[in-house]
Amino acid sequence: MKNNPVVWFEIYVQEMERAKQFYESVFQVKLERLNTPDLEMWGFPMDMNSAGASGALVKMAGVPSGGVSTLIYFACDDCAVEEARIDESGGQIKQAKMSIGEYGFISLGFDTEGNLFGLHSMQ
């Protein structure tokens, strides 16, 4: 593969406003409404000329949130910073910051919709 294998992610939600507030609070970003027919999508900030993937929160009839079949890791300078905002934003920490050896550190948390997500940093 010439590029990283992940180019987009979708996090399915049941209560969009609650989920949007959670991710905006934890990552200190503003999500933007995407113009999509038949479903509600709010995109994470993205720069088409930069490396890495972006994605969106998605509310689609018949697609439930929760479970752990998809795990997305968000890049952080120090995952402890975003981890500290999980509980206060209405989520729950599953695994506090831990070393993964030469590959850095991770934290795991549940968002307000029951989705498990990861944080990754090298410090």
Side-chain angles (χ1 to χ4, degrees):
M1 291 183 177
K2 292 182 179 180
N3 298 313
N4 291 328
V6 176
V7 296
W8 183 256
F9 63 83
E10 294 180 345
I11 302 172
Y12 290 88
V13 305
Q14 300 307 301
E15 290 190 34
M16 182 59 79
E17 190 56 33
R18 178 178 67 188
K20 191 166 118 4
Q21 287 176 359
F22 174 82
Y23 283 99
E24 288 178 339
S25 175
V26 169
F27 294 107
Q28 303 289 285
V29 297
K30 195 77 176 149
L31 276 63
E32 180 180 327
R33 178 74 190 246
L34 302 179
N35 186 18
T36 53
D38 302 323
L39 62 144
E40 185 178 359
M41 294 181 77
W42 286 81
F44 285 83
M46 66 181 100
D47 178 354
M48 297 302 287
N49 297 316
S50 294
S54 190
L57 300 179
V58 180
K59 183 173 182 181
M60 182 187 306
V63 181
S65 60
V68 293
S69 60
T70 301
L71 184 57
I72 298 161
Y73 281 87
F74 292 92
C76 309
D77 290 330
D78 180 350
C79 60
V81 173
E82 287 79 4
E83 176 189 302
R85 294 193 286 252
I86 291 174
D87 283 331
E88 67 190 42
S89 299
Q92 180 182 356
I93 296 169
K94 173 160 178 64
Q95 171 63 56
K97 183 179 178 179
M98 62 178 267
S99 172
I100 53 171
E102 66 182 285
Y103 302 106
F105 298 87
I106 62 166
S107 299
L108 297 174
F110 287 103
D111 70 9
T112 54
E113 305 301 294
N115 295 303
L116 182 65
F117 68 96
L119 305 170
H120 176 267
S121 64
M122 290 308 293
Q123 64 172 334

